[in-house]
Amino acid sequence: MEGHDDLCTEMIAPPVQSVREARELVGLTLELLEEYLQEHTVISNVRLGAAGGVLLLFSVLLCWHQMAAMLRLKERSIGILRSLGATEKFVFRLLTGETLFLCGAIFCAALLGTVLLYHLWLAPATAVGSFGVSFLVFNGWTVLILAALSFTVPLLSTLVPLKKFLKKPVVENITGK
């Protein structure tokens, strides 16, 4: 019986050794993959953050300019409204309501664009091979940040120039001086 056990051990030893080597290789491969992902995720996050910051700054400045230009175009109309008896409060509510409507449209467009961009490009592009895990996450914080930016920037860029505009005399509003 003892010879039979030795024969079985000799027959099983190479496959068992191969399995052990494979486990070590997989463990080593997973460790290397984890190190690689940690190093490159930080670099990728910094690059994405920098690109996002530049795009955010550009969009804020563009929105600010657009809202200020829209107010300048309405300057004469607002002056005529005020000369006909519209109060500053009425003009303020009128333009604030219009801006809030625009903010809602901006938010819906930004949310739709973000969802499409994330699901069609970012999530598949950043998914890790066989694991299917993406490092970029679309969650409630993303929606909250979009809402904050979509409403804060246009409102501020309308209300700040509007306050200055309403302090001018009505005649200056109509003539544009």
Side-chain angles (χ1 to χ4, degrees), residues 118-153:
Y118 177 77
H119 287 292
L120 296 178
W121 184 65
L122 287 177
T126 59
V128 177
S130 60
F131 299 115
V133 176
S134 177
F135 295 105
L136 299 173
V137 179
F138 181 79
N139 56 20
W141 286 106
T142 309
V143 176
L144 184 66
I145 291 168
L146 277 176
L149 290 173
S150 297
F151 283 90
T152 304
V153 174

Side-chain angles (χ1 to χ4, degrees), residues 10-32:
E10 287 177 24
M11 289 176 60
I12 294 176
V16 168
Q17 185 61 29
S18 296
V19 169
R20 285 185 184 144
E21 289 172 3
R23 274 191 186 165
E24 290 174 11
L25 183 62
V26 168
L28 182 63
T29 305
L30 289 177
E31 288 174 14
L32 289 173

Side-chain angles (χ1 to χ4, degrees), residues 76-87 90 170 174:
R76 186 176 172 102
S77 306
I78 294 169
I80 292 171
L81 272 175
R82 287 185 61 203
S83 70
L84 293 173
T87 62
F90 174 78
V170 176
I174 294 173

Side-chain angles (χ1 to χ4, degrees), residues 39-54:
E39 291 173 12
H40 288 79
T41 301
V42 170
I43 294 169
S44 296
N45 287 346
V46 168
R47 286 181 184 160
L48 284 173
V54 168

